[in-house]
Amino acid sequence: MSTPLYTIDEDAIRRAWSLFFEPGQVTELRCLDARIRGEWRSGIYSGYFDNAEAAIENLRRLEAAKACYIMPNPVTPALHARAYNRARIITGKEPTTADHNILARKWLLIDIDAKRDAGISATDAEKAAALETVTGVDCELWEKGFPPGIIGDSGNGYHLMIPCDLPAKDNGYCERFLKDLAARWNNEQAEVDISVHNPARIWKLPGTLVCKGDHCPALGRVWRMSKIRMVCKEVQDA
């Protein structure tokens, strides 16, 4: 059984970077189960970046990864010194970004996944159910006066990113918000992930390949690229 080579869409990464981050904002790039050229170890490939080009240069080294993530909320700039515009395979003893390292919440993050067994990619039909759910949530929030945002394809489900201006310590607002959405929108085919409420949440980087389980075209369970699906005009023009 052949599997896709690990590839990235550099233009998609640049576009996402320009939408998610303010100029000079520091984020952590974190790739799981990564294997890179010229390195005998495999594992978490992590580093801190303030520009897309440096991140892309490091992503070009990937030979394999389960998925690649960034941190949409702003990271304290001091962490840039852990790995300055470079990524490296880290051990379990080396720190990654924690909640107390987040300066503020600039995005309200909603992750809607297709219901399926753990450790496998979603089928097209399962993804379609997740898209129907995220579209309904997006329309509801718009009608309630939330600002429009970004809908992203996470590979096996969909992301909804709503611009916000909240403190990192939000007294549980984001957790309550997600639980309320889940109570009203979860169904037999798709569900709202209530675990993504913490400020240091990692988020799929659009333009990178998502490789959950084996790539199985015969079963309709294939690896897909994470990508941005829709951007509202207000976010595009910001």
Side-chain angles (χ1 to χ4, degrees), residues 73-95:
N73 290 320
V75 174
T76 181
L79 296 195
H80 209 174
R82 284 180 177 169
Y84 188 81
N85 288 335
R86 68 178 183 90
R88 75 282 190 230
I89 297 291
I90 64 172
T91 68
K93 295 181 180 180
E94 294 179 83

Side-chain angles (χ1 to χ4, degrees), residues 113-123 126-127 156 188-191 211-214 219 221 224:
D113 272 328
K115 280 189 176 178
R116 63 196 190 282
D117 290 323
I120 57 176
S121 297
T123 64
E126 289 166 344
K127 277 199 68 181
N156 296 301
E188 293 183 357
Q189 290 80 37
E191 60 186 351
C211 309
K212 183 161 284 189
D214 282 350
L219 301 178
R221 300 191 180 277
R224 302 180 181 90

Side-chain angles (χ1 to χ4, degrees), residues 45-87:
Y45 186 51
S46 170
Y48 292 83
F49 296 86
D50 62 4
N51 69 90
E53 296 308 317
I56 289 169
E57 181 180 351
N58 281 259
L59 287 166
R60 288 175 184 146
R61 296 184 64 199
L62 282 171
E63 292 183 340
K66 180 182 289 185
C68 295
Y69 301 84
I70 42 80
M71 207 155 290
N73 290 320
V75 174
T76 181
L79 296 195
H80 209 174
R82 284 180 177 169
Y84 188 81
N85 288 335
R86 68 178 183 90

Side-chain angles (χ1 to χ4, degrees), residues 194-211:
I194 62 175
S195 72
V196 304
H197 60 82
N198 64 304
R201 175 56 48 177
I202 55 176
W203 213 239
K204 294 272 177 55
L205 174 60
T208 58
L209 190 62
V210 181
C211 309

Side-chain angles (χ1 to χ4, degrees), residues 115-234:
K115 280 189 176 178
R116 63 196 190 282
D117 290 323
I120 57 176
S121 297
T123 64
D124 288 344
E126 289 166 344
K127 277 199 68 181
L131 178 59
E132 182 177 350
T133 301
V134 79
T135 301
V137 170
D138 187 40
C139 290
E140 178 189 277
L141 295 180
W142 170 259
E143 290 171 356
K144 287 185 174 181
F146 283 81
I150 299 170
I151 294 180
D153 182 333
S154 63
N156 296 301
Y158 291 89
H159 288 161
L160 180 56
M161 302 175 66
I162 305 296
C164 68
D165 187 10
L166 294 170
K169 295 181 179 180
D170 67 345
N171 293 317
Y173 170 80
C174 289
E175 183 175 13
R176 293 192 299 272
F177 174 82
L178 292 176
K179 286 181 176 179
D180 179 65
L181 282 182
R184 289 181 293 103
W185 283 96
N186 282 6
N187 54 65
E188 293 183 357
Q189 290 80 37
E191 60 186 351
V192 177
D193 186 346
I194 62 175
S195 72
V196 304
H197 60 82
N198 64 304
R201 175 56 48 177
I202 55 176
W203 213 239
K204 294 272 177 55
L205 174 60
T208 58
L209 190 62
V210 181
C211 309
K212 183 161 284 189
D214 282 350
H215 178 71
C216 297
L219 301 178
R221 300 191 180 277
V222 297
W223 297 349
R224 302 180 181 90
M225 296 292 287
S226 176
K227 57 188 177 183
I228 291 174
R229 184 179 181 89
M230 186 184 75
V231 183
C232 73
K233 186 176 186 300
E234 289 83 347

Side-chain angles (χ1 to χ4, degrees), residues 13-32:
I13 293 170
R14 291 184 183 100
R15 183 182 184 219
W17 206 279
S18 70
L19 292 169
F20 295 174
F21 305 125
E22 297 291 333
Q25 180 178 325
V26 175
T27 189
E28 181 188 353
L29 172 69
R30 191 185 303 172
C31 305
L32 304 184

